[in-house]
């Protein structure tokens, strides 16, 4: 099992460019999440998908869109990148999600720099 | 969004020292609390999930306690080793919401040989 995979690992964008971060899990988990991690801050939730076919905003959704393509895949799109979106992005998944006691399994992260 | 405080922000100890750090959170509507360990250049990994007041969990030299009435959890590491160097994140959640935990900023532990 690969667990949670993310592509790309690194990306540099210019202001205004768009890109999609890909995430896939092979654990048959129902719930998937996108977080960003900035220096001195905790992991902040951008969007989540409690189950296939649903998505909801988290704490910091502005400037992002998501797609739950199927049960395995959850992508994060930046339509017009801004320097404030320079961050490390983590995708995570959990088996059920809605119980609150589920463990989240994290991907390796994508380090994004917006110039 | 829960107000989650972790202290201290960072901690340097010598190999063999025992140490502890704190996670504080609002006690009202408490539902569960997760502890994660995050090593540099890796991804966060789950340590414990705790739900009941007075809960104690243990994994090797690492243990955690929970006080839901006063809104805090302690993480203890006995006889710290260099491989314990990591950032330790707590993530509580309350009932009635999305049942997704809110992560604290973490305590960075560095264990010197």
């Amino acid at each position: 099992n690969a667990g949670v995979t993310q592509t790309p690992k690194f990306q540099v964008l210019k202001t205004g460019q768009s890109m999609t971060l890909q995430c896939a899990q092979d654990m048959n988990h129902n719930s998937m999440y996108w977080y960003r991690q900035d220096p001195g801050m905790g992991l902040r939730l951008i969007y989540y998908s409690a189950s296939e076919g649903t998505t909801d905003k988290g704490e910091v959704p502005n400037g992002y869109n998501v797609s739950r393509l199927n049960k395995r895949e959850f992508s994060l799109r930046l339509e017009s990148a801004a320097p404030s979106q320079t961050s490390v992005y983590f995708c995570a998944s959990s088996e059920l999600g809605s119980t609150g006691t589920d463990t989240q399994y994290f991907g390796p992260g994508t380090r994004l720099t917006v110039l | 969004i829960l107000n989650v405080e972790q202290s201290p922000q960072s901690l340097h100890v010598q190999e063999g020292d025992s140490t502890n750090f704190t996670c504080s959170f609002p006690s009202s509507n408490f539902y569960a609390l997760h502890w994660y360990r995050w090593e540099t250049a890796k991804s966060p990994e789950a340590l414990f999930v705790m739900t009941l007041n007075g809960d104690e969990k243990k994994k090797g030299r690492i243990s955690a306690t929970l006080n839901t009435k006063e809104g805090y959890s302690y993480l203890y590491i006995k006889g710290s080793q260099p491989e314990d160097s990591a950032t330790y994140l707590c993530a509580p959640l309350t009932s009635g919401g999305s049942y997704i935990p809110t992560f604290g900023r973490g305590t960075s532990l560095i264990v010197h040989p």
Side-chain angles (χ1 to χ4, degrees), chain A residues 40 48 59 99-100 102-104 107, chain B residues 1 31 34 36 43 46 100 105:
Chain A
Y48 66 99
E59 182 186 348
T99 66
D102 262 12
T103 292
Q104 292 190 22
Chain B
I1 300 166
Y31 187 80
H34 298 255
Y36 284 82
S43 308
I100 297 174
R105 298 182 182 191

Side-chain angles (χ1 to χ4, degrees), chain A residues 4 68 76 83 85 93 110:
Chain A
V4 180
R68 183 76 183 266
L76 179 72
Q85 294 177 304
S93 70
T110 294

Side-chain angles (χ1 to χ4, degrees), chain A residues 35-74:
Chain A
Y35 292 92
R36 59 178 290 173
Q37 199 267 327
D38 301 295
M41 306 289 287
L43 289 164
R44 292 185 293 168
L45 184 66
I46 305 171
Y47 270 93
Y48 66 99
S49 171
S51 60
E52 187 179 356
T54 70
T55 60
D56 282 289
K57 295 178 181 179
E59 182 186 348
V60 288
N62 290 346
Y64 305 96
N65 284 300
V66 290
S67 295
R68 183 76 183 266
L69 303 168
N70 48 54
K71 192 170 185 179
R72 287 187 65 246
E73 298 172 289
F74 189 37

